[in-house]
Every structure is written in C-alpha cells, then in structure tokens.
Amino acid sequence: MQLGFVTAILPDYDLKQVFQAASEIGYDCVEVMCWPEGKDARRYAGITHISAEEFTESDVTTVSQLADEYGISISALGYYPNPLTPDLEEAGKYTEHIQKVISASRMLGINRMNTFIGRDWTKSVDDNWPRFLETWPDIIQFAEQQQVRVGIENCPMSFTKDEWPGGKNLACTPAIWKRMYADVPSEYFGLNYDPSHLVWMHMDYLAPIRDFADRIFHVHAKDVRVDQHRLDQVGILAHPLEYHTPKLPGLGQVEWGSFFSQLNEIGYQGPVCVEVEDRAYEDSTESCLAALRQCHTYLRNFIPVGR
C-alpha cells in the first residue's frame, strides 16, 4: 500500500508546493483535485491542482517532471460533482468534465480517477435509477476505452440542508453498490472506499472490504466521531452533522488496526489517502500541514515505507 493525502486540504498551494509538502512530510502519493477552474461554494470543492480542461502532452511532461523531482506519485485524479443533479445543463457539464479527467488520467499513465455517482436528492433511489442508467453506462464505456478505472466514493453527501433528505450521491450503501455493478458490470467501475461514512450511518465498515474486494480501487482514510449524547436528543433523522463530526484518523471511532488488517486479508496493494475534513485543523495552512503530519505519523504504523 501507498500512503498519501487528498490535495483538497491545500487549496492555496500550487502542484509544486503540494508535491514539496508531501515529500517533506514523507508521503508516498497524493490524490490530485481536478475541478474546473473557478470557485465552488461547497467546502473542499472547486480546487484545481491539475487542470483537465485542455490537458496536453506538454502538461504531462510538466506534471511528470514535478512528481519525479519530489519522488511523489499520483494515486488518482479526483473530481466530485453531482452528475445526476436535476439541472440537466449542469449535469451535462459535470459529465463532460468527468470524461476530461478520465482522459487526463490516461495521458499521465495513472489510469485511475475518483468521483461521485450523483443523485437528485429529492427523489428515492428507485426514482433516481433511470437517470443513473442514462448517464453512467456511457461514462464507464468511455473509461474502458481509456483503460482508466473509476472509483466511486461512498459518501452520501447528505450534510447540509440543501442535500437533505436523500443526499447528492447514490453510491452510499452496499445494497446500492450491488445494484450498480449488476447494471453496469464493468471491471473499470469500482469504489473509492471511505470507512467513515458507514460509521455515522451505524453500518459495518469492515464487511464491505471483503464483500467488494475486487471493486476497491482506492481508499480514503478519514475518521469520524458520533456524539451519542447529541444523537440521543435528535435521532438519526436529524441533519447528520447535528450528531457526527469528521475527524483525523485516530481521533474518531474507526478501528484502524482492524481496518488495515482487513485490507491486508484481501491483498489490497493500492493507495490509502488521508482526507482531512477535521475543522479543528482548518484555521490556517499551517494547521492543515500539522494535520497532514499528524495523520502521517499515525498511519505509518499500518503502512510501512516501501512495502
């Protein structure tokens, strides 16, 4: 396995500074954010460390030389929009950019990109399914042609009031993953697996590692703390952030020893990238770097260098 981090936590850095920080701390890799250039209101969105808009062979050379200079590999290119949003024009732009990121990943020889399925949050899973079948078979067929594996993060995206009640990403439970892979049975269609989302939904976060072993293309390392006292007051139907908080690995309720033991059991050899969304470490760039150093120190207990 390779230890890395998601570059969204360093929005004010350029790619060279990201690689330099990763190298100085001791990481092996980074998942690079590839949003379209411009602002986005959502937290951790709208960050462009590699622009996939007009990606050229010259860009390939520049990125590859930087990666070599600092000895850091790119685990995946990441872009996390909502391609099933009810605004069809907006959805089309998201789908088009997903394909650009897939192409950039192929050109860089990474052959892996991570994203969301998306969802109309006002509708049920069944009522979203026709849109899923209109959108995703074509994206995955394109990924197959590019020989790029697409990892879907299992975040429900149900945190703010405008995402309630359904959230903005269908792919949040094992039952839905089974349905996705039954309807789009491509070996290029898998998971960017994050255990924290299952913890706050009161679900087993270890069993899916075994059950979906051949679908786990990439892993996010994020922890979470459920405030049981608060949950006892508001119940699970409250907005989820009323009773849970994202934390750095080791500061929440994920049992990382068991988690990495299970990854070892299935023979997983891919990247594990820290996703820092702990607000206690976001007041400055130095705090974000401190978070990355702390995560590296903790997770190196489970991912030795060079293994």
Side-chain angles (χ1 to χ4, degrees):
M1 285 182 259
Q2 306 87 50
L3 180 59
F5 66 84
V6 180
T7 67
I9 195 58
L10 296 174
D12 298 327
Y13 275 22
D14 61 22
L15 187 62
K16 178 182 175 72
Q17 290 172 307
V18 167
F19 281 143
Q20 185 173 14
S23 178
E24 288 176 354
I25 296 172
Y27 282 101
D28 307 311
C29 61
V30 288
E31 179 190 346
V32 179
M33 291 300 99
C34 297
W35 287 76
E37 307 250 12
K39 298 289 185 183
D40 192 289
R42 202 183 87 207
R43 296 176 75 223
Y44 315 113
I47 297 162
T48 312
H49 285 125
I50 291 178
S51 176
E53 295 279 4
E54 301 291 340
F55 201 69
T56 66
E57 289 299 333
S58 175
D59 296 320
V60 171
T61 300
T62 300
V63 172
S64 300
Q65 286 177 343
L66 276 177
D68 290 344
E69 178 181 350
Y70 290 99
I72 298 296
S73 64
I74 298 175
S75 66
L77 300 184
Y79 171 51
Y80 298 88
N82 180 3
L84 300 188
T85 180
D87 184 327
L88 297 181
E89 182 178 355
E90 193 177 345
K93 291 179 181 177
Y94 293 154
T95 299
E96 182 181 351
H97 194 74
I98 286 173
Q99 292 176 325
K100 289 182 178 179
V101 177
I102 289 171
S103 292
S105 181
R106 189 263 305 166
M107 292 173 68
L108 284 164
I110 302 166
N111 298 104
R112 189 188 290 120
M113 78 85 61
N114 297 325
T115 189
F116 289 143
I117 289 294
R119 174 173 176 162
D120 181 341
W121 57 99
T122 67
K123 294 181 178 178
S124 69
V125 172
D126 285 343
D127 288 340
N128 267 275
W129 216 253
R131 281 287 308 285
F132 168 75
L133 293 177
E134 289 172 12
T135 302
W136 276 94
D138 288 346
I139 294 176
I140 296 303
Q141 184 180 38
F142 179 77
E144 286 180 349
Q145 292 167 351
Q146 301 287 310
Q147 297 188 318
V148 172
R149 298 199 296 174
V150 177
I152 303 298
E153 185 175 354
N154 54 296
C155 178
M157 291 306 294
S158 181
F159 298 110
T160 59
K161 291 181 180 178
D162 68 323
E163 294 162 340
W164 184 253
K168 293 182 176 177
N169 183 33
L170 278 173
C172 58
T173 68
I176 295 173
W177 306 338
K178 289 177 184 175
R179 188 173 177 182
M180 282 166 33
Y181 301 134
D183 285 354
V184 188
S186 169
E187 63 182 12
Y188 286 85
F189 194 26
L191 289 171
N192 176 22
Y193 189 68
D194 184 330
S196 69
H197 305 303
L198 297 173
V199 174
W200 69 261
M201 290 193 290
H202 300 265
M203 300 171 74
D204 188 336
Y205 59 91
L206 298 177
I209 297 174
R210 179 185 63 240
D211 294 343
F212 294 88
D214 60 342
R215 296 288 183 180
I216 297 178
F217 296 167
H218 194 276
V219 171
H220 274 179
K222 185 170 67 182
D223 215 329
V224 66
R225 179 171 56 80
V226 176
D227 184 336
Q228 188 61 48
H229 178 74
R230 181 63 180 161
L231 181 59
D232 289 341
Q233 304 301 309
V234 301
I236 61 169
L237 296 182
H239 293 294
L241 284 181
E242 289 189 53
Y243 58 83
H244 91 276
T245 309
K247 303 300 294 181
L248 301 186
L251 300 183
Q253 292 171 228
V254 174
E255 294 182 5
W256 291 98
S258 298
F259 181 75
F260 280 101
S261 175
Q262 194 66 59
L263 287 178
N264 281 321
E265 285 291 320
I266 66 166
Y268 180 76
Q269 296 294 321
V272 177
C273 287
V274 176
E275 187 179 27
V276 178
E277 294 186 355
D278 188 333
R279 295 197 180 205
Y281 290 81
E282 293 185 358
D283 61 329
S284 67
T285 299
E286 186 50 47
S287 291
C288 295
L289 291 169
L292 291 174
R293 286 192 287 269
Q294 182 169 326
C295 292
H296 178 268
T297 299
Y298 181 75
L299 291 176
R300 273 299 180 209
N301 289 291
F302 307 101
I303 306 176
V305 175
R307 184 177 184 276

